[in-house]
Amino acid sequence: MKRNTKMPAMKLVEKFDQQLHEILMSDLKAIQNARIKLIKHITFNNRPQGGLMTA
């Protein structure tokens, strides 16, 4: 009698998808926070009396 291997495999795929989603959402939040900090940094330091160095 053959075992039904499709269900356990599908459960693994769903678990993988869920974990991947959580990782990506965490990374996205970190990227958004870094972007906000960078914008604040540029805005704060980009005053006429000398802010960011330009090439």
Side-chain angles (χ1 to χ4, degrees), residues 9-23:
M10 287 305 296
K11 285 180 182 176
L12 281 175
V13 169
E14 288 171 9
K15 187 174 182 180
F16 175 81
D17 284 348
Q18 180 185 358
Q19 289 175 344
L20 181 62
H21 178 76
E22 289 171 8
I23 290 166

Side-chain angles (χ1 to χ4, degrees), residues 19-41:
Q19 289 175 344
L20 181 62
H21 178 76
E22 289 171 8
I23 290 166
L24 291 175
M25 292 307 289
S26 175
D27 287 350
L28 178 62
K29 185 172 261 187
I31 290 167
Q32 288 171 333
N33 287 340
R35 180 178 175 272
I36 290 167
K37 285 181 183 176
L38 180 62
I39 290 169
K40 286 180 180 175
H41 178 77

